[in-house]
Amino acid sequence: VGDVRQHGLLIGVELAPPVDGLRWGRRVSAACIDRGVLIRPLGDVIVVVPHLTTTADEVVRIVDVLREAIAEVCG
């Protein structure tokens, strides 16, 4: 992870692949979707936008799934 940016509930997790063209964003997004969490990549930035009514348990699930997906793809 190269950087994490946040504005309100909008969070961008910038991945830092060691070589251009690895498309980590798309691969991390697919790994999250496989685990039941829908996120969106913008290039190598993972965008997380939880609902306004997201519970604390759901936030923990989103973060855990994102962490697992990053470790799987970039590990």
Side-chain angles (χ1 to χ4, degrees):
V1 172
D3 192 20
V4 177
R5 297 181 292 278
Q6 178 182 358
H7 186 77
L9 291 179
L10 175 66
I11 302 162
V13 179
E14 183 177 348
L15 304 175
V19 179
D20 289 339
L22 291 180
R23 302 182 74 136
W24 277 0
R26 181 176 245 181
R27 293 169 53 200
V28 169
S29 178
C32 286
I33 291 168
D34 288 344
R35 291 170 169 83
V37 173
L38 182 61
I39 61 169
R40 179 175 183 222
L42 289 173
D44 281 325
V45 177
I46 300 301
V47 179
V48 180
V49 187
H51 297 269
L52 292 174
T53 58
T54 301
T55 66
D57 288 340
E58 290 169 331
V59 170
V60 169
R61 175 166 161 67
I62 292 167
V63 171
D64 287 347
V65 165
L66 182 57
R67 180 184 45 78
E68 291 169 7
I70 290 172
E72 175 187 315
V73 172
C74 308

